[in-house]
């Protein structure tokens, strides 16, 4: 069984990004990323911190806007407009989820699609569906595709079954894997909470991708002998033995599924590090497209 090392593959992506940043800097251009956080959700705060830190490590100009919980929709959209107009900023992301009083879709729609490095703007969703390479693809699905390719697993002609149909993971991943060309050309099935005979469907997968947010949901009965399994899930489960009182597990019951797989991603250390790596890569892409550098 091949244990897919997301940390190592993310380092490869970072190395490419570093080279691209240097090349832009040699032309007098510095890629810039603005990350906006509203409220003080600890997990969101940690994500924002690591995105800021990674940007800086790669030589990307990084700006963090941490706004209080009670920030109004108008104030948040005004900040997005200000960042849209800022020539030093090429990528903008508003950390999800915002507080309940914020209309997230409206905030995303306010981002200049050319700076939408999360790939959530309707223009970029359409570009993905249209196979337009100038668009931005959400970072987690992009990271899953890159993990497969870097591990010598070509989705072409294979049956990929995706568990979950969210706009952040499942749906864009389905579009990516069914697109024509490198990293695509798969036969794709998407299953979700209303699917019937779920284990029967997932057992047909050559490549099974779990993105549902249920700890250990995917068990041996869901997996065909020799399948590749990609675990997108990041779930906190209580663990008194751990100093933090919890640990992070995926959507796959690792111990029982591993013996059946030809390849499997661990959690943590699988898809997680790839998400941030693809965000950095998207920021460089945005900078190139905007500046022509
Ligand atoms: P959502 O909650 O938005 O979507 C979950 C999907 O799973 C839905 O389509 C839902 O179906 C489906 N689902 C839920 N329960 C079941 C079930 N019992 N049987 C079948 N399908 C089910 O989650 P996200 O897509 O945002 O995230 C999924 C997981 O991936 C989470 O653990 C999240 O933390 C993780 N994640 C990891 C990232 C990373 O960087 N590695 C980035 C983003 C997410 P329905 O549509 O019918 O409700």
């Amino acid at each position: 069984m091949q244990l897919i090392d997301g940390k190592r593959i993310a380092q490869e992506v970072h190395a490419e990004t570093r080279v691209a940043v240097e090349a832009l800097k040699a032309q007098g251009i510095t890629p810039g990323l603005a990350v906006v956080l509203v409220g003080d959700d600890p997990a969101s705060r940690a994500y924002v911190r690591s995105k800021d830190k990674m940007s800086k490590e790669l030589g990307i100009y990084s700006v963090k806007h941490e706004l209080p919980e009670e920030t109004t929709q108008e104030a948040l959209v005004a900040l997005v407009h200000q960042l849209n107009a800022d020539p030093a900023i090429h990528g903008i992301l508003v950390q999800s989820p915002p507080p309940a009083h914020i209309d997230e879709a409206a905030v995303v729609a306010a981002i200049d699609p050319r700076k939408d490095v999360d790939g959530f703007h309707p223009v970029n969703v359409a570009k993905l569906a249209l196979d337009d390479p100038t668009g931005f693809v959400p970072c987690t699905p992009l990271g899953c595709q890159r993990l497969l390719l870097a591990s010598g697993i070509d989705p072409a002609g294979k049956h990929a079954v995706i568990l979950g149909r969210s706009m952040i993971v499942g749906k864009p991943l389905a579009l990516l894997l069914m697109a024509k060309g490198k990293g695509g050309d798969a036969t794709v099935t998407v299953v979700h909470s209303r699917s019937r005979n779920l284990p029967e469907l997932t057992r047909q997968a050559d490549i099974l991708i779990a993105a549902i947010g249920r700890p250990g949901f995917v068990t041996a009965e869901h997996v065909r002998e020799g399948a590749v399994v990609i675990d997108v899930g990041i779930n906190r489960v209580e663990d008194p033995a751990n100093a933090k009182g919890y640990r992070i597990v995926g959507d796959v019951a690792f111990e029982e599924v591993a013996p059946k797989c030809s390849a499997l991603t661990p959690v943590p250390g699988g898809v997680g590090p790839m998400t941030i790596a693809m965000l950095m890569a998207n920021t460089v892409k945005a900078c190139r497209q905007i500046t022509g550098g």
Side-chain angles (χ1 to χ4, degrees):
M1 200 272 295
Q2 178 189 0
L3 189 64
I4 297 177
D5 184 349
K7 276 193 201 155
R8 182 186 58 75
I9 299 166
Q11 285 308 324
E12 288 173 17
V13 178
H14 288 316
E16 290 169 15
T17 302
R18 214 171 261 124
V19 170
V21 170
E22 287 311 314
L24 283 162
K25 285 190 166 171
Q27 301 170 53
I29 302 163
T30 301
L33 174 67
V35 182
V36 181
L37 173 69
V38 185
D40 42 30
D41 175 64
S44 295
R45 195 168 278 280
Y47 285 134
V48 165
R49 218 178 315 140
S50 60
K51 286 167 187 174
D52 180 55
K53 186 164 163 259
M54 186 52 73
S55 304
K56 291 189 167 120
E57 275 177 38
L58 297 176
I60 293 171
Y61 167 61
S62 168
V63 192
K64 221 171 20 157
H65 291 269
E66 293 179 303
L67 308 178
E69 179 85 21
E70 59 277 9
T71 302
T72 63
Q73 171 87 12
E74 292 68 29
L76 181 55
V77 169
L79 173 61
V80 167
H81 286 153
Q82 183 193 315
L83 296 168
N84 284 344
D86 185 342
I89 297 298
H90 308 99
I92 302 169
L93 83 80
V94 179
Q95 184 63 46
S96 182
H101 67 276
I102 300 282
D103 176 355
E104 190 172 12
V107 173
V108 169
I111 298 173
D112 181 340
R114 295 174 310 155
K115 298 189 176 185
D116 168 40
V117 285
D118 256 345
F120 298 152
H121 190 284
V123 164
N124 287 313
V125 175
K127 284 188 172 184
L128 174 58
L130 293 165
D131 290 341
D132 179 340
T134 67
F136 292 97
V137 177
C139 303
T140 302
L142 204 53
C144 291
Q145 185 188 46
R146 178 72 187 244
L147 271 185
L148 290 171
L149 290 174
S151 308
I153 301 155
D154 184 352
K158 303 217 169 68
H159 188 183
V161 177
I162 301 169
L163 252 164
R165 57 175 164 181
S166 76
M167 291 304 295
I168 298 173
V169 191
K171 203 182 277 185
L173 184 58
L175 289 167
L176 260 189
L177 295 181
M178 77 168 80
K180 278 189 182 174
K182 190 167 176 254
D185 288 333
T187 304
V188 177
T189 301
V190 180
V191 296
H192 46 76
S193 70
R194 305 295 301 272
S195 300
R196 258 183 258 154
N197 305 329
L198 201 95
E200 236 171 71
L201 294 166
T202 57
R203 270 201 305 272
Q204 291 171 25
D206 301 312
I207 302 172
L208 177 62
I209 299 131
I212 59 172
R214 302 262 181 275
F217 180 91
V218 174
T219 56
E221 68 152 348
H222 293 93
V223 180
R224 192 172 60 82
E225 200 72 46
V228 171
V229 179
I230 305 290
D231 189 353
V232 181
I234 298 182
N235 310 294
R236 265 187 193 205
V237 294
E238 272 184 42
D239 183 1
N242 192 301
K244 290 180 180 160
Y246 68 88
R247 70 196 154 89
I248 300 292
V249 299
D251 288 345
V252 175
F254 188 91
E255 298 298 331
E256 68 172 271
V257 167
K260 291 188 88 175
C261 300
S262 60
L264 174 61
T265 61
V267 175
V271 177
M274 294 303 290
T275 298
I276 190 160
M278 301 327 287
L279 173 68
M280 301 295 124
N282 273 352
T283 302
V284 167
K285 176 178 170 177
C287 177
R288 280 183 175 146
Q289 290 189 165
I290 290 170
T291 63

